[in-house]
Amino acid sequence: MKSNKSILTRRKFFKNTGIATLGISIGTNKSWGVPNYIPNFLKPNSKINGVQLGVITYSFREMEDQSAEATLQYILDCGINAIELMGSVAENHLGKPRYEIDRRTLNRLMRLDRKNKISRDEKKQLADLKQQQKSYEKAAGIWKKNRDPNDYLKLRKMFNDAGVEIYAFKPDYLLGSKNSDADINYAMKAGKVLGASHVTLELPGPPYGPKNPEHTLRLGKLAEKNDIKVAYHGHTQQHAKWWDTALKQSESNVMNPDLGHYIAAGNTDVFEFLSNMNKKIYSMHIKDRKTPANGQDNMPFGMGDTPIVNVLQLMRDQKYSFPATIEYEYKTPKNSTIINEIKKCVDYCKDALES
């Protein structure tokens, strides 16, 4: 009889052979040593015991190459097969001019100018940045006139062919209260074409602006027409009743809570909250943050106060259908990389779901 120690679990086999962290080079047609009867052998699979682990592509924001092709490779390198896609990655792939103006510098100089505390050199720098802004807006406006949601089909195919599904689309600037119905319809149609069940944005209200129930009503009605859901995200404003107004306004208004921010806000009812609201949650961001008493810092998974393990096991045991979206926000250690750290986050979540 074989010793238990000599029997490798499937997970340990993949870890020991390095396959668990193997990325797929886009365009590769041959896989050495892989049997032909396992066509999806090298495609990622981060759905563990019924819980879909995903990642928001915002997690790769500090990577040098922000193209859709590079972003897809980052996802594959992390072993993930489902994502929340940021709008900038998608739109830039379709030819929208890239916004390369330093927003922080522009905003700082504009503040100094308003206070009449700006130097001559800074005034010259501000004028140059404003000209760049004007040129960008002109080019983006020309692109906007010719945009078509169906252009996203090829992008979806590229991701799907690599084994990556897009369950959520965050179209950045397109869902705000100042946007036209045409902008919002375009964003929602793009989400549908990409295969997303929902588009995401921050719920209108502090600290992002005044409460705006008129806008959530508007978004809900437009979502009904476009057969897609609008999932509202939150930071440390979150509490169990925070979404109530939007949810009552339309069946198409749903939730995209953030577990780490929820804990950092000081909430202590996370399990009751998930039990009560899981049918309205379409995806949930996962990160590890400390409580207010401990400083609220973003931490590597397992080092903060967020009950990631227990929440994932609750999702598994209660068969909640929404994905857990890893959002990488803690500082990358000097001896590591963003990709390696996200892999650690994935492994931490997998261990929780396999326990």
Side-chain angles (χ1 to χ4, degrees):
M1 184 174 179
K2 292 184 179 180
S3 165
N4 286 338
K5 291 183 179 179
S6 68
I7 301 174
L8 287 175
T9 64
R10 178 179 180 275
R11 180 104 195 278
K12 288 180 179 177
F13 168 77
F14 280 112
K15 278 188 175 179
N16 291 349
T17 56
I19 293 175
T21 57
L22 181 63
I24 305 169
S25 295
I26 300 171
T28 299
N29 295 318
K30 296 181 181 179
S31 301
W32 181 84
V34 178
N36 291 330
Y37 55 83
I38 313 180
N40 295 321
F41 187 76
L42 288 179
K43 287 188 176 181
N45 180 16
S46 55
K47 189 169 187 177
I48 312 297
N49 287 328
V51 177
Q52 178 67 67
L53 298 175
V55 68
I56 182 170
T57 58
Y58 172 78
S59 300
F60 306 111
R61 64 198 173 280
E62 293 183 2
M63 302 293 283
E64 184 175 355
D65 190 342
Q66 291 293 305
S67 68
E69 292 85 355
T71 300
L72 175 55
Q73 189 63 57
Y74 305 148
I75 295 160
L76 297 172
D77 288 343
C78 293
I80 292 171
N81 75 316
I83 62 166
E84 178 180 349
L85 179 66
M86 294 293 289
S88 56
V89 173
E91 288 197 319
N92 290 340
H93 183 72
L94 299 184
K96 184 185 176 186
R98 292 181 182 274
Y99 190 91
E100 297 178 344
I101 300 161
D102 187 340
R103 282 192 178 95
R104 288 185 179 179
T105 300
L106 176 61
N107 292 334
R108 179 178 63 82
L109 292 175
M110 288 177 69
R111 285 195 299 271
L112 289 174
D113 192 37
R114 286 194 299 270
K115 296 176 181 178
N116 201 26
K117 294 181 178 180
I118 191 167
S119 70
R120 181 180 297 178
D121 287 343
E122 287 173 331
K123 204 169 189 69
K124 184 178 178 181
Q125 185 183 12
L126 176 58
D128 181 58
L129 288 172
K130 284 184 174 180
Q131 184 57 46
Q132 291 179 43
Q133 178 91 9
K134 187 176 180 180
S135 297
Y136 168 79
E137 288 173 354
K138 181 179 179 181
I142 294 170
W143 178 83
K144 178 179 175 179
K145 290 179 181 179
N146 300 305
R147 66 188 181 186
D148 183 345
N150 289 320
D151 291 341
Y152 289 85
L153 281 170
K154 289 184 179 179
L155 180 64
R156 175 182 178 175
K157 185 176 187 303
M158 182 175 78
F159 276 75
N160 290 175
D161 285 352
V164 176
E165 299 294 324
I166 301 167
Y167 57 77
F169 180 50
K170 187 164 191 173
D172 297 345
Y173 65 95
L174 283 169
L175 298 177
S177 59
K178 293 181 180 180
N179 287 104
S180 65
D181 284 2
D183 282 338
I184 295 170
N185 282 322
Y186 166 78
M188 291 179 175
K189 289 179 188 299
K192 283 285 289 185
V193 171
L194 287 166
S197 64
H198 56 294
V199 292
T200 61
L201 78 157
E202 276 70 24
L203 180 68
Y208 300 102
K211 291 184 177 180
N212 194 344
E214 293 82 9
H215 188 51
T216 52
L217 175 61
R218 177 188 178 207
L219 288 175
K221 297 304 180 185
L222 289 172
E224 290 170 14
K225 293 178 181 178
N226 286 291
D227 191 28
I228 197 167
K229 304 295 185 183
V230 184
Y232 297 97
H233 184 64
H235 290 236
T236 51
Q237 329 96 309
Q238 294 174 112
H239 55 79
K241 302 295 183 182
W242 189 57
W243 291 265
D244 282 2
T245 297
L247 296 179
K248 290 174 183 176
Q249 290 173 329
S250 171
E251 285 296 317
S252 291
N253 282 340
V254 295
M255 302 166 66
N256 171 233
D258 186 300
L259 180 64
H261 291 324
Y262 197 82
I263 295 302
N267 296 298
T268 58
D269 62 342
V270 65
F271 298 104
E272 180 183 358
F273 167 64
L274 293 175
S275 177
N276 291 337
M277 304 305 297
N278 69 87
K279 287 183 169 53
K280 289 293 185 179
I281 297 173
Y282 268 60
S283 59
M284 179 172 66
H285 287 196
I286 301 289
K287 63 170 65 73
D288 204 348
R289 287 193 67 178
K290 291 185 176 181
T291 62
N294 292 327
Q296 297 182 307
D297 292 337
N298 279 294
M299 302 295 295
F301 281 27
M303 297 180 66
D305 298 317
T306 309
I308 295 175
V309 170
N310 301 92
V311 165
L312 289 173
Q313 291 175 349
L314 175 72
M315 292 171 64
R316 176 196 65 195
D317 297 344
Q318 297 300 316
K319 303 187 186 307
Y320 293 162
S321 59
F322 58 87
T325 308
I326 292 168
E327 183 174 23
Y328 178 68
E329 287 202 304
Y330 65 85
K331 187 175 180 180
T332 306
K334 290 183 179 180
N335 62 346
S336 188
T337 65
I338 292 170
I339 300 299
N340 283 341
E341 291 305 305
I342 295 176
K343 285 179 182 177
K344 292 176 185 177
C345 297
V346 173
D347 282 342
Y348 182 86
C349 293
K350 284 185 175 180
D351 284 341
L353 290 167
E354 291 175 347
S355 297

